[in-house]
Structure formats: C-alpha cells, structure tokens
Amino acid sequence: MNCYLPRQAWFIVMFIFLCQTAFSQNSHTISGSVVDATTGKGLPGVSVSVKGATSGAITDANGGFKFTTGHSLPVTLQFSSVGYKPEEATVTDASVNVNIQLSSTEILGKEVVVSASRVAESILQSPVSIEKLDIRAIKATPAPSFYDALANMKGVEMSTQSLTFKSVNTRGFNSNGNTRMLQLIDGMDNQAPGLNFSVGNIVGITELDMDNVEVLPGAASALYGPNALNGIVLLNSKSPFQYQGLSANIKSGLLNESGRTNSSTGYYDVSIRYAKAFNDKFAFKINLGYVKADDWQAYDIRDQSLLNGSKLSNTGHTANPGYNGVNTYGDETNINMKGSLRPAAMTTGNALGNGIAQLSAATGGLITRDQIFNAIMPDSNNAYVSRTGYAERNLADYDTKNLKVNVALHYKFNSNLELLGQGSYGTGTTVYTGADRYSIKNFKMGQYKIELRADNFYVRGYTTQERSGDSYAIGTLGAGINEAWKPSTTWFPQYFGTYAGGALTTFSTVFQQQIGQGPAAAFAAATAAAQGGAASYHAAGRAAADQGRLLPGTPEFDAAAQKVKDKSIPGDATGVGAKFNDKTNLYQAEFMYNFKNQISFMELMVGGNYRTYDLNSDGTIFAKDDNGEEFKIQEYGGYVQVGKRLLMDHLKVTGALRYDKNENFAGQFSPRLSAVYTFLQTHNLRASYQTGFRIPHCQDQYIDLLTPQARLIGGLPFLRERYGLNTGPVYTLESVQAGAPQQYTFREFKPEKIVAFELGYKALIANKLVIDAYIYTNTFKNFNGTQILVQPTSATTRNIYSIPVNYEKDIKSWGWALGLDYNLPQQFVVGANVSYNELSNEKDLGSFKAMYNTPKVRYNIYVGNRNIARSFFSFNVTWRWQDSFIWSSSFVGPAVNAMNMAEIPSYGTLDAQVSKLFPKPKVTVKIGAANLTQNVYIQSWGNPSVGAQYYASIGYNL
C-alpha cells in the first residue's frame, strides 16, 4: 500500500513509544475478572478505573484485568461497558482478586448532553432539540468518518465541496462554508478567521481522539453569541486522564465515480493516539492523523450564461458562442460582438468599414451602411461571444491531503481543578466553493489555547492562526491563463474580424450575383445567405482567435498557470493573479461561572468573551483603509442564565439573556426562555422561545475581491463610496434583464436577527423506544442576502457588483422533525428520522435571493447490531434520501440565479459496514462502503459529483 506519513510524524510516533517506558513508582497491583451476570462468560473490553483517579485498565479476551496504581488502599474501582449497568467495588487488599458481575442493560435515551444549557443534563430533558454522536455511534457508523456521519442525524444536511471539506447545516439557508453554523472544538471557535467558517474537520479532531459530537439545531446566540444562528456543532475530544494508552488505525479504500479522470482511485487514512497520566496529577496526549486521496471532481458542462437565447442544458461554444460552463473557467469573459464592431463598421480606414462603404456606394446609397452591418451581424441580443475556457480538472489541485497534529498537557491541582494547554495544527489541500471554486492548497491553520477549569467554571484564552499557503481561485486562474497567452483586447478583435470578414464576403458575393433582380431583392437574398452562415463564421472566428492556444498538459500551459498562481489577486499591469494570501488571526478570551456551589434554590450562570479579528490578506481579499492597512475588528459579549425546578421537580424553567457588541454595528440583545415538563418519569414536553443574531462576518464587512462573475464588496458604507455606487446610477440585475432598469436605493447595513419558537416531545418508552419530535418557526429580520448590481460605465460596458444587503421585510420559515429509535432483542437496533423545512413566504420575496438552499424533505433509516450474539461482530446499514431543491449563491451564474434554475436533484444513498473485534490482540477490523449503490449526486451548485467510497480499516486498542 502506497501510504506514508510526513517525516515530522515519525518523530511523534517515536516519542509516543518512548513515553511508554518513562513512568515507574511505588504502587499496588490490582487484578481480577469481569463476567456477564447472565451467561457467566468473561467480558472483554470492560473499562476498569480507580474512582477519582486515572489508574485503570481494559479487560482482556477472558474478562481478566490487571493494573498498577500509586494510590494507597482502600480504593474504589469503577466498572463500565457499553450495554451494561456500571458497578463499583472497594479494594482493601491488593492480593485478593476482584471478581465482578455486570448486568446487561440498554442506554437508549439515557445520554448526557452539555451544549443545550452549558450544563450536564439528560438528553431527554434538554430544553431544545439536540442530537448526539457518542463513541458507540462513531464506532458503529458506516460512514467513512465521524464527520460524514453527521449527515445521518435528524435535520442535519451537508454540502460536499471535496472529500475532506464538507459544510454542516440545519433548518435552512445552507451554504458552502456555512457562516450561520458555529463549530466549536473543545470550546474553541473552529472557523478559519479570514473565511469565517469552519473548513470541515481539516483542523479538528482525529477519530481516535473523538469523545462525542453534539449538534444543536436552531438559534443559540443567547449562550454562544454571534453566528450561532442556525445551530452549533460541538466536537469534544477525549481526556488523557480517562483514555490512556496507545491507539492506532489504518484505513484504506477506493473512491469510484465514472465521470472522474480516473474513475477508481485509492485513498488512505492513518491515525495514532497516545495518552499517559502520571500520579493522577499530570497527563498528556498526542494525536496524529493523515489523509491522502485523489478528490471528487466537478465537471458540470451545462451552459449557465443563458446568452444568445441559450438553454441551461446546452453545452459548448457550438451551441452558444457566449457559452459559460458551470465548471469551465475563463469562459466567463464575454463581449457583445455587434456593439463592439459597430464603430468600425460606420467608419472608413478599416477593412470592415471600407467593405461596407463600397457595397453601400454600389447601390447608389439606396442601402445604407447601417442596413448592411445589421444584415451581416446577429441581432444585439444574440451577438455575445465568450472566450474559450478550461475544465476544472485541468486547473484544480485534486491531490487532496490533510495532516492533523494535536498535543495537550493537563495538570490537576486537585480532583476538581485542572489547568491545560492545547495546540492543534492542521495543513492540507482541498477544494472549496464560494463565489469561485478555490483550490485550498497547502492551507495551514493552528489553534492554541490555555484553560483553567473546574466543574463550576472555566477561564480560557485561545488564538486561531490561519495561513492560506498556495491557495488560489480556480476561475480566476482560467481567465488568467487566457490573458497570459493572448489578452482579450487581442483575442476578441481577431474573432470578430474573422466573423465579420466571412459574413461580409458571403453578403457581397450573393448581392452581386442577385443585383440584376434589383437592390431590394439582392439585399434580401444576401442577408439570408449571410445569416445562414453564422455558425461557420463563429467556428472560423474561434479557430482563428484560438490558434496556438495553450493546452493542458503542455509545459507552456503549466508555466503560464504557475505564473498566475504565484501572483496575488487580482493581479497587476503585468497580468492576472489568482493567489490569495490570507494570514488573518483571531484572538479570544472568555469565561463562565456557575454558582451551583453558592446557590442551591436555583441555577445561576454568567459568562462573557472578548474577541479580535486581525485581518491580513495582503490586499487579496479584504479592503484597505486610507493608510493602506487592513482592518481589525473588535467584539465583546456577555450572558446570564437562570434556571429553576418547579412542581415537585416536574417542571424546569430556564431563561437566558446575552448582549454583544461589534465596533461596526449597534449592540445586540439575545434572550431565550425555555420550559421542560417531565411526566411519567421518561416523557418530556418542551417549549422554547429563542433568539439569535449574526453580525456580518469579516467578508460581509470588508471583502473587496474581483471574481469572474462580479466584484464582491462588503456592505459597509465606505466601500459603496469607494466604487461610486452612492453617486452614479446603479441598477438591479433583475431589472436590467427584464429590460426596465430600476435604480437601487441603499439602506443601512445591519446584523440579521432570528426569532424562533419550538415545541417538542421526547420520551423513552418501556426502555425500548425513543421518540423525539419537534416543530419550529423562524422569523428572520434584517436578513443578510446578496444583491447583484449593474453599474453602467459606457454605452456598451458595465461593472457588476455583488454586495451583502439586508432584506427590508421579514423572512419566515418553519419545519418539523420526527425521530424513532427502537431496541430489538439480541441487541439489534432500528431507527428512522425525517425532517421537513420550508421557506414560508418565498413568494413575497420578489427578486431578493434568500439563499434558502434546503430540501423540503430529508429522511434516514438504519438497522444495526453492535455485538451480534456476543460474538464481537457488528454491522450497520443506513439509507439516506433528500428531495430536490433550488440552490442560490454567488457562484451560480447571475442569469440562472435570477431565474431560480439551479436545481439540485434529489438522491438517495446506501451506506453499510461490518466489523469484528478480536479481544485478545485488541484489534478491530472494519469493512464498509458509502453510497454502495453508486448513485452519483451533488449537494450544491458547481460542487463535485460524489460516487461510491469503499474502505477497510484495522485498528488497535480502539
């Protein structure tokens, strides 16, 4: 297998093994066995630990255990295993074996969650909807990774932009690089500061170190602040005190999709974890993960220009000279041939003007120059010509790779007070879809924190350091290669001149042949002949202009591409640049304090944070101030939460209020009120009123980026003034396309807000069936969407701007979801969930693009068994389906966007896995496949086509 680790990784691996020999002390050796209370057979894989300490072991294949502890006797041992009731035993004499029986039980519906209220509570009694993926579920999932498995959760959807970059979303308004979802890793906001969204799990947690994932759909700003508008994803890693020892996993397999350059290619995923605790005071862990693959490819060749009367289904310049393929680049540049040639046609001193003048003179002026020109040209609405573009696969770097390294040091002052330092570093190459398709090449990001925490408070500070490496805009690269080879100022005149010359020759020949029939008849015949040959003139024009064009795979093409990649966006007088140099940093300090030790009659919690964005893109993404410097953005916020149990503890009421301030916008208050009523012990009704807000992110505020579709500028007033949008006429694209230009009036740019109501029911029935249902409504105010504006610069030219604006009316959505999980005999489990989301007042929005980007219906069905007949075999099969929907974004061609034509087809996928645990060597073998039926699908416009992914893995001490 051609799998390798970077050189630095081997030093970490050697360090891990050396650490295993670095610890010895005076101690007691405790041994014993654990058996099934029903069968009497030994139970392997049972966790045995010293209560209040870190010493412990895992039982072997026969249920035996043996470990050493430095604690003085007596000690209390804790025994736990998935599917069994926990037990404790006191040891007073280490020479006596400890023999324990565990009784089988199910934990369905008994999970504990933290994210809903920032305090530990039963998942059944959570005041809001919440989904959880724990260690058991991660091991059982048929998805290739735990991050992929998030799509199987109720109400959760994903947008796949590459193999390693997926965006998570809930409850509508999905996007690539989702800025309305907050992803926290061990409490740190995992966004790339310059991009303002999480880059999947590229700089995250390895699967070996993943403890659990909690997904909180819906508004959550009251506790989590800005951008927790659509929900939160909390990823929590394992503690080195609780999970010690060496674990390793090697996974390899195939990606298969017939439309790729090579339909089947391999991929490799290697991860190692080592953790060790000393004297129950100090502990450390080291994690290493490496993924390598040939990525999924985007190759949609449909024509999204809609120029010259073209249909979306058309392909290539033969069908439309103004063709602009979805995943071809460089063909976005287009000019109206008729408008461009008219000045030359009406004057002499050039071939076209001279030829037309001679024909007009031959008729004694009966046929004017203007009539002849119109006869040989298409009408103005069908005269657009675009440059010849390049396919994405010839421009993107599909050599996907991702290296993750994590190191954490923990020190316990006592059993309740812990100090830790943690560093996470990730680097890799992937592809992302924004206003353009971007090759995120050799991207680097680090997150570093120091934290002091106890069970009732924490204080933490962290920074996120982003470095874009060699990243570049793929669409801009395509245009740049074209310009480097032959500037458009040369290419278009060659095309137009060849076209006009051919058309004029045909016209002149036929006219002279028919002149005996009279000028009028000759003119009609010549016009028909000239118009009938338009396709051949276009072909000749493109052939002439493209003669000597740089072809992918040649040294000349590679040299030109590299030159464009090395030059920063948008370029300079020497050529186009596609590279962006993002070195933006984020700094945050925050705290939380729970007064549970001081106040017993209610719950009281307070918290706050201060954040700084230090923008630094070398002018490639963000605007500069008058001194030529990029901006810093300051934010701060604080919250208080109060909870109280009433009615003999059957009713819990919780209220929270948060205030946040960004220096560019007015302060925002975010209240939340929730109530949970518990009856018949395991039945829970919940109701909540929640609010959220999204301060326009860094790019919404300060972006200044030229893309093939439009110039993207931020919504702050100074940028409108910089480009003269406040002084000159500016029209909406929709009104221009409709033939009735309507001038646009700017309003104040504000943070968007959401008011949400939710009713839910969650219950555990007969310890067998979990029911989770909810219905919600959302009302968005000052909704932040995108407006495409047209700024005329002359009679034939114009500038296109894309700018974030607030919609002046409310935008409303609603939805519901239902989840059922059932325990069958012999540890078989089945389940299903369905979710429905709808934009309620879509018809009232007019031309405004809310970018809802969400299917109305999604559902998942699964069946599995984590331990078939106690044989350590497990399996899981999951079917996932979603409805078709319309995608709207700045990447979609403006005309297609305006006409709501960017449909994402419905699809269904089948995932399956089977695994076997070998207890004695502590090895697990797993074989599986995602999209087993090979139903190729895309999840958003312009994104890659995803096929089947087959894998096999072998893991040690998982």
Side-chain angles (χ1 to χ4, degrees):
M1 180 174 66
N2 297 322
C3 180
Y4 63 92
L5 294 178
R7 181 180 301 173
Q8 299 89 334
W10 290 113
F11 289 104
I12 296 174
V13 174
M14 292 298 298
F15 177 69
I16 289 172
F17 283 98
L18 290 174
C19 286
Q20 296 185 84
T21 64
F23 171 61
S24 74
Q25 61 176 14
N26 295 326
S27 56
H28 299 283
T29 299
I30 299 174
S31 60
S33 64
V34 182
V35 300
D36 186 298
T38 302
T39 66
K41 294 182 178 180
L43 287 176
V46 177
S47 173
V48 185
S49 61
V50 176
K51 189 174 184 178
T54 60
S55 307
I58 302 295
T59 58
D60 60 25
N62 300 314
F65 67 89
K66 185 177 183 179
F67 67 93
T68 300
T69 179
H71 275 259
S72 58
L73 301 180
V75 295
T76 299
L77 300 186
Q78 296 177 311
F79 300 83
S80 62
S81 180
V82 174
Y84 288 88
K85 181 180 178 182
E87 296 287 352
E88 291 186 354
T90 301
V91 178
T92 58
D93 184 352
S95 64
V96 178
N97 279 355
V98 180
N99 299 313
I100 294 294
Q101 294 182 337
L102 293 186
S103 299
S104 178
T105 184
E106 296 298 339
I107 61 173
L108 191 67
K110 299 179 182 179
E111 297 96 333
V112 173
V113 294
V114 178
S115 59
S117 305
R118 282 192 180 266
V119 296
E121 60 192 349
S122 166
I123 194 170
L124 291 176
Q125 296 179 343
S126 168
V128 293
S129 299
I130 190 168
E131 303 291 321
K132 184 170 183 177
L133 191 70
D134 61 14
I135 293 176
R136 300 174 308 124
I138 291 172
K139 289 181 179 179
T141 180
S145 73
F146 79 88
Y147 206 83
D148 296 314
L150 299 182
N152 297 330
M153 290 179 167
K154 181 171 72 274
V156 175
E157 58 188 293
M158 276 192 170
S159 175
T160 298
Q161 295 145 82
S162 74
L163 179 69
T164 55
F165 189 3
K166 300 175 175 67
S167 296
V168 181
N169 187 67
T170 65
R171 299 190 179 179
F173 307 101
N174 192 14
S175 64
N176 295 311
N178 197 339
T179 58
R180 291 186 174 91
M181 288 287 292
L182 186 62
Q183 181 167 293
L184 302 177
I185 292 185
D186 290 334
M188 296 182 288
D189 187 343
N190 190 233
Q191 67 168 286
L195 300 174
N196 293 121
F197 52 78
S198 297
V199 188
N201 192 41
I202 289 178
V203 188
I205 303 177
T206 66
E207 194 155 308
L208 288 177
D209 196 38
M210 178 57 61
D211 191 339
N212 64 79
V213 184
E214 295 182 15
V215 176
L216 190 65
S221 290
L223 294 183
Y224 292 95
N227 306 329
L229 201 69
N230 271 24
I232 305 172
V233 180
L234 292 97
L235 296 89
N236 303 302
S237 67
K238 295 175 180 176
S239 165
F241 286 107
Q242 293 178 308
Y243 298 89
Q244 297 187 49
L246 175 68
S247 292
N249 193 57
I250 298 176
K251 183 184 298 181
S252 185
L254 291 174
L255 304 182
N256 181 267
E257 198 275 304
S258 60
R260 303 165 77 221
T261 305
N262 297 309
S263 59
S264 294
T265 58
Y267 83 97
Y268 314 97
D269 185 347
V270 180
S271 55
I272 300 172
R273 181 184 188 270
Y274 182 76
K276 185 69 177 178
F278 303 86
N279 297 320
D280 302 326
K281 288 289 187 180
F282 173 73
F284 75 91
K285 67 177 179 180
I286 299 175
N287 289 281
L288 173 69
Y290 184 70
V291 175
K292 179 176 172 56
D294 291 327
D295 213 332
W296 303 119
Q297 297 184 4
Y299 52 83
D300 188 345
I301 59 174
R302 290 177 297 169
D303 182 11
Q304 64 174 351
S305 75
L306 303 188
L307 294 173
N308 304 324
S310 178
K311 297 180 180 179
L312 178 61
S313 58
N314 289 351
T315 60
H317 284 98
T318 300
N320 173 22
Y323 169 80
N324 172 16
V326 176
N327 290 124
T328 58
Y329 307 102
D331 54 1
E332 299 84 5
T333 305
N334 65 75
I335 293 179
N336 190 292
M337 178 171 59
K338 189 172 184 179
S340 178
L341 285 178
R342 181 174 291 279
M346 297 301 106
T347 60
T348 55
N350 63 85
L352 178 63
N354 291 341
I356 291 176
Q358 291 171 4
L359 282 173
S360 178
T363 68
L366 294 176
I367 301 176
T368 67
R369 298 175 67 165
D370 188 66
Q371 288 175 313
I372 297 172
F373 176 70
N374 288 333
I376 66 173
M377 285 286 113
D379 67 68
S380 296
N381 293 326
N382 294 292
Y384 288 94
V385 172
S386 65
R387 293 205 63 169
T388 307
Y390 294 98
E392 178 173 306
R393 63 187 58 179
N394 296 320
L395 302 173
D397 189 336
Y398 285 142
D399 184 18
T400 289
K401 57 179 76 76
N402 178 213
L403 171 67
K404 288 192 282 280
V405 180
N406 168 268
V407 178
L409 305 175
H410 294 240
Y411 182 80
K412 284 190 175 181
F413 296 96
N414 54 51
S415 61
N416 187 44
L417 184 62
E418 182 177 355
L419 177 67
L420 67 95
Q422 177 176 321
S424 298
Y425 174 82
T427 181
T429 295
T430 187
V431 184
Y432 152 65
T433 311
D436 198 341
R437 285 276 283 171
Y438 298 92
S439 262
I440 308 298
K441 185 177 181 181
N442 300 326
F443 172 85
K444 301 174 181 65
M445 195 171 92
Q447 289 199 284
Y448 312 98
K449 79 167 178 176
I450 185 168
E451 180 175 349
L452 181 67
R453 66 188 183 192
D455 66 350
N456 65 325
F457 80 90
Y458 69 79
V459 179
R460 74 168 64 106
Y462 67 88
T463 179
T464 304
Q465 310 274 314
E466 176 191 347
R467 302 294 181 266
S468 58
D470 301 312
S471 301
Y472 59 90
I474 299 171
T476 304
L477 173 61
I481 294 172
N482 272 339
E483 296 299 324
W485 165 64
K486 182 182 290 184
S488 292
T489 52
T490 301
W491 190 92
F492 281 109
Q494 287 182 350
Y495 187 116
F496 298 165
T498 302
Y499 182 103
L504 186 59
T505 297
T506 299
F507 183 92
S508 177
T509 300
V510 175
F511 185 84
Q512 292 173 0
Q513 293 173 346
Q514 299 294 323
I515 191 62
Q517 305 298 320
F523 177 79
T527 299
Q531 296 290 332
S536 63
Y537 312 145
H538 276 299
R542 190 167 299 277
D546 275 349
Q547 186 174 5
R549 180 172 176 263
L550 301 181
L551 299 179
T554 63
E556 295 78 10
F557 176 90
D558 293 340
Q562 193 59 52
K563 186 175 181 180
V564 178
K565 292 177 188 177
D566 290 341
K567 189 183 295 291
S568 295
I569 289 176
D572 52 33
T574 65
V576 174
K579 181 179 181 179
F580 56 93
N581 303 312
D582 191 10
K583 305 170 187 175
T584 297
N585 298 329
L586 178 151
Y587 303 91
Q588 175 141 327
E590 61 182 45
F591 79 95
M592 183 277 289
Y593 192 88
N594 189 327
F595 289 88
K596 65 180 183 178
N597 297 330
Q598 292 78 30
I599 300 174
S600 59
F601 65 91
M602 69 174 185
E603 295 176 0
L604 177 62
M605 178 193 304
V606 298
N609 70 278
Y610 184 86
R611 171 177 293 190
T612 297
Y613 291 96
D614 185 5
L615 305 184
N616 182 2
S617 69
D618 289 341
T620 62
I621 299 175
F622 299 110
K624 295 181 178 181
D625 61 20
D626 293 337
N627 298 318
E629 300 292 331
E630 293 184 62
F631 294 83
K632 287 183 171 65
I633 306 173
Q634 313 290 335
E635 296 179 358
Y636 63 85
Y639 63 89
V640 59
Q641 177 174 275
V642 177
K644 177 67 175 176
R645 291 191 176 274
L646 305 167
L647 303 179
M648 302 292 289
D649 288 344
H650 286 284
L651 176 66
K652 182 179 180 181
V653 180
T654 306
L657 179 65
R658 183 181 177 101
Y659 176 79
D660 287 272
K661 180 69 174 70
N662 176 289
E663 62 176 290
N664 292 325
F665 303 94
Q668 307 292 316
F669 284 100
S670 302
R672 184 178 90 165
L673 182 64
S674 65
V676 180
Y677 182 74
T678 303
F679 61 98
L680 299 178
Q681 296 185 329
T682 60
H683 295 255
N684 300 273
L685 289 173
R686 64 180 184 268
S688 64
Y689 161 79
Q690 302 180 76
T691 58
F693 71 99
R694 183 169 78 103
I695 292 175
H697 54 68
C698 300
Q699 294 191 32
D700 275 351
Q701 295 180 52
Y702 290 107
I703 194 170
D704 188 356
L705 176 63
L706 183 63
T707 75
Q709 304 288 4
R711 176 175 287 277
L712 314 181
I713 63 172
L716 296 179
F718 83 94
L719 278 166
R720 304 177 207 160
E721 296 171 1
R722 179 170 293 180
Y723 288 101
L725 302 182
N726 289 337
T727 55
V730 180
Y731 307 104
T732 64
L733 176 64
E734 296 81 11
S735 66
V736 172
Q737 290 176 329
Q742 179 180 347
Q743 190 160 347
Y744 186 77
T745 302
F746 288 98
R747 296 176 296 275
E748 180 184 359
F749 190 40
K750 301 178 180 179
E752 65 182 27
K753 300 180 180 180
I754 182 175
V755 177
F757 294 91
E758 181 182 309
L759 295 175
Y761 168 72
K762 197 161 192 174
L764 173 62
I765 299 174
N767 283 325
K768 295 289 185 181
L769 175 65
V770 171
I771 302 174
D772 186 9
Y774 64 76
I775 185 171
Y776 73 90
T777 64
N778 287 337
T779 300
F780 288 85
K781 299 179 181 297
N782 303 324
F783 187 85
N784 187 189
T786 299
Q787 181 65 58
I788 308 299
L789 299 175
V790 178
Q791 180 189 53
T793 56
S794 70
T796 59
T797 61
R798 60 186 185 177
N799 292 329
I800 305 295
Y801 293 91
S802 175
I803 183 170
V805 297
N806 297 122
Y807 186 59
E808 67 272 24
K809 300 178 182 179
D810 291 349
I811 293 180
K812 299 179 180 181
S813 64
W814 77 284
W816 56 266
L818 172 65
L820 302 172
D821 297 277
Y822 189 76
N823 276 336
L824 295 168
Q826 302 298 318
Q827 294 189 309
F828 284 87
V829 293
V830 296
N833 61 69
V834 59
S835 59
Y836 180 90
N837 301 279
E838 183 179 2
L839 193 60
S840 307
N841 62 338
E842 183 175 12
K843 294 181 180 180
D844 300 332
L845 302 184
S847 63
F848 184 82
K849 299 302 174 187
M851 300 185 184
Y852 192 62
N853 297 345
T854 299
K856 285 188 176 182
V857 179
R858 298 184 75 257
Y859 68 79
N860 302 281
I861 303 172
Y862 76 92
V863 59
N865 190 313
R866 296 191 179 102
N867 191 1
I868 302 173
R870 308 293 183 188
S871 64
F872 308 113
F873 270 103
S874 69
F875 81 95
N876 190 287
V877 178
T878 301
W879 170 259
R880 184 173 68 251
W881 185 90
Q882 70 176 43
D883 202 356
S884 62
F885 64 99
I886 299 299
W887 186 272
S888 179
S889 74
S890 54
F891 182 78
V892 181
V896 173
N897 214 16
M899 299 175 67
N900 295 321
M901 296 173 64
E903 181 180 3
I904 307 301
S906 63
Y907 71 89
T909 65
L910 181 68
D911 300 349
Q913 68 86 12
V914 60
S915 62
K916 166 68 174 176
L917 168 65
F918 298 91
K920 190 172 183 178
K922 301 180 181 178
V923 168
T924 299
V925 176
K926 184 175 181 179
I927 299 174
N931 195 9
L932 188 60
T933 55
Q934 301 189 44
N935 185 13
V936 177
Y937 63 89
I938 62 169
Q939 293 182 311
S940 60
W941 189 260
N943 275 3
S945 296
V946 179
Q949 185 172 357
Y950 307 96
Y951 63 88
S953 70
I954 181 168
Y956 169 74
N957 195 26
L958 301 181

